[in-house]
Amino acid sequence: MTQKILVIFGTRPEAIKLFPVVHALDALDGVTPIVCVTAQHREILDQVLEIGKIVPDYDLDIMQPDQTLDALTARLLTKIGAVMDEVQPDRVIVQGDTATAMVGALAAYYRKIPVGHVEAGLRSYNIYHPWPEEVNRKMIGTIADLHFAPTQTSANALLKEAVNPDHVHITGNTVIDALHWVTDLIAQKPEMAGGLDELKARFAGKRIIGVTSHRRENFGGGLENIAKAIAAIAKRDDVALIFPVHPNPNVRKVMDAELKDLDNVAMIEPLDYPHFVHLLSLVELMLTDSGGVQEEAPALGKPVLVMRETTERPEGVEAGTAKLVGTDYETIVANTTRLLDDKAEYDRMARAHNPFGDGKSSKRIAQLALNAAGKSAH
């Protein structure tokens, strides 16, 4: 009997990490993947769907202007629940720690539908950093019966929470699968990432630093410190910074105030995934408060300075590919300067082993989901 597996996602990072899983499920006999997107990120989600060749079966288009987290959660719960009532899936798969993922798991729980959690077991052990993601993923971990842990560290975190070891599977991180997919695609069609050619010409001969910053917990003083640090780094004649700025007005206002008049800082619109992968290939290092970049950049040998107080991806820090620098102005500037000026330190980080995957995670996840389909694990 064919198993119906409902894959639910809503943001660009979820789409990047789940489109290889959808393809892997589709390649298996006995599985029908059904895709429901909530469109927490509308335009940038659509870009990934196009690149990943995913046509959603359900598109909830959930977002409204200035929507609060509780309003978003309520709308997600009723709309995702209606999809589940119509589809009657045998299993639900969610990824990560978004509101979509948490509510998808909760709606499945209310219907006693088993849940598989991609990228399970990430923990910062601080419920406000990152906020609200830390609580979201802990809630999913309580509900899920299949935990696809990307690393041994994340698996250990689940085992410490008394999750049944038979339900925890170390699969690697599917972002590496997506990275390989898109890198191969760009090699075949360079024009897919040609939108950065003008910046490459403008900054020829300079050492490019990539920047992303959008975390809610950094709003206010944290973002202001980050902006001031970027401005200080930009005083160097030998560097240029490319900063795809998040559309959130809380981010744009702060960054514009400090950076908009600096010739060697390019504040650009958010990049689609091929262009972002191409940016990673161009930079010497990344300054970021993003989670996914901590996994992607090391796969291309690029050091990452993490502008957060904690990370749920300690594997990168332990391996030496990433370093936590928080949002302190002097710490960000000092660590960036060291990587630019100390070749031995740069090489140590650039050559460190990437602990996040081998590009085969999605196939492992799809097979595990098929093997468990129809079984009650609670």
Side-chain angles (χ1 to χ4, degrees):
M1 184 177 72
T2 299
Q3 298 290 325
K4 291 186 291 185
I5 298 182
L6 180 62
V7 184
I8 304 172
F9 54 94
T11 66
R12 183 175 91 152
E14 288 171 290
I16 289 168
K17 293 181 178 184
L18 282 177
F19 84 73
V21 176
V22 173
H23 287 301
L25 288 167
D26 200 35
L28 291 177
D29 292 332
V31 175
T32 299
I34 299 164
V35 174
C36 172
V37 300
T38 65
Q40 271 190 255
H41 296 167
R42 178 73 273 171
E43 292 182 8
I44 55 180
L45 170 71
D46 290 345
Q47 292 167 356
V48 178
L49 294 174
E50 183 178 352
I51 296 301
K53 298 180 169 37
I54 299 293
V55 178
D57 300 282
Y58 296 87
D59 188 333
L60 304 183
D61 201 18
I62 202 79
M63 290 305 288
Q64 296 179 345
D66 299 319
Q67 191 163 224
T68 62
L69 280 174
D70 46 3
L72 171 62
T73 300
R75 283 168 54 77
L76 285 168
L77 189 58
T78 55
K79 288 183 173 290
I80 290 174
V83 170
M84 290 183 185
D85 290 340
E86 181 176 327
V87 172
Q88 296 289 307
D90 297 290
R91 172 169 293 280
V92 166
I93 287 180
V94 297
Q95 186 277 329
D97 47 28
T98 66
T100 290
M102 183 273 287
V103 172
L106 185 61
Y109 169 69
Y110 286 162
R111 290 157 179 81
K112 297 185 179 179
I113 301 168
V115 174
H117 186 197
V118 175
E119 201 175 70
L122 276 64
R123 298 289 184 269
S124 70
Y125 302 103
N126 183 330
I127 65 170
Y128 296 111
H129 292 275
W131 174 85
E133 287 83 357
E134 178 74 1
V135 165
N136 285 347
R137 56 188 170 229
K138 291 183 76 170
M139 289 176 66
I140 300 168
T142 300
I143 293 167
D145 74 299
L146 278 180
H147 305 262
F148 304 120
T151 66
Q152 184 65 58
T153 299
S154 50
N156 289 345
L158 292 164
L159 298 177
K160 288 177 185 175
E161 295 172 5
V163 174
N164 186 332
D166 293 340
H167 301 168
V168 178
H169 306 275
I170 300 173
T171 60
N173 197 305
T174 60
V175 74
I176 308 303
D177 305 25
L179 194 66
H180 289 179
W181 168 293
V182 174
T183 300
D184 291 345
L185 211 55
I186 294 171
Q188 297 165 25
K189 301 178 180 178
E191 66 275 11
M192 290 182 62
L196 293 176
D197 289 349
E198 185 178 327
L199 281 178
K200 286 164 63 177
R202 173 180 160 188
F203 293 145
K206 292 188 180 289
R207 305 164 74 184
I208 295 175
I209 299 170
V211 183
T212 67
S213 181
H214 68 275
R215 299 284 339 148
R216 282 192 186 93
E217 61 267 25
N218 285 344
F219 285 1
L223 277 182
E224 290 169 6
N225 285 344
I226 289 169
K228 285 180 168 56
I230 294 169
I233 295 162
K235 290 179 180 177
R236 293 178 59 123
D237 293 333
D238 62 335
V239 305
L241 296 99
I242 299 178
F243 186 172
V245 183
H246 196 278
N248 190 310
N250 291 301
V251 178
R252 290 191 174 241
K253 180 172 66 175
V254 172
M255 297 305 166
D256 281 345
E258 286 287 340
L259 307 174
K260 68 178 179 180
D261 296 324
L262 301 181
D263 290 340
N264 59 341
V265 178
M267 290 196 297
I268 60 176
E269 292 300 309
L271 297 172
D272 64 21
Y273 193 51
H275 281 91
F276 189 73
V277 171
H278 189 42
L279 175 63
L280 289 178
S281 74
L282 297 177
V283 304
E284 287 206 23
L285 64 116
M286 285 296 302
L287 297 174
T288 188
D289 61 11
S290 164
V293 176
Q294 297 175 52
E295 301 154 348
E296 293 162 316
L300 298 178
K302 305 305 169 87
V304 183
L305 296 180
V306 184
M307 299 183 296
R308 287 164 55 173
E309 303 305 324
T310 61
T311 179
E312 64 280 24
R313 293 167 173 85
E315 301 92 337
V317 176
E318 291 163 5
T321 63
K323 185 174 182 180
L324 275 175
V325 296
T327 58
D328 178 74
Y329 161 84
E330 292 183 356
T331 305
I332 295 169
V333 173
N335 279 277
T336 303
T337 301
R338 185 179 180 192
L339 282 174
L340 291 170
D341 293 343
D342 185 338
K343 186 175 185 303
E345 175 64 10
Y346 181 90
D347 289 346
R348 184 188 68 77
M349 291 188 71
R351 295 173 182 172
H353 169 69
N354 175 29
F356 293 110
D358 59 3
K360 299 177 183 177
S361 304
S362 298
K363 291 181 179 178
R364 295 186 188 104
I365 288 167
Q367 191 61 57
L368 286 163
L370 176 61
N371 293 347
K375 297 178 182 178
S376 174
H378 290 287

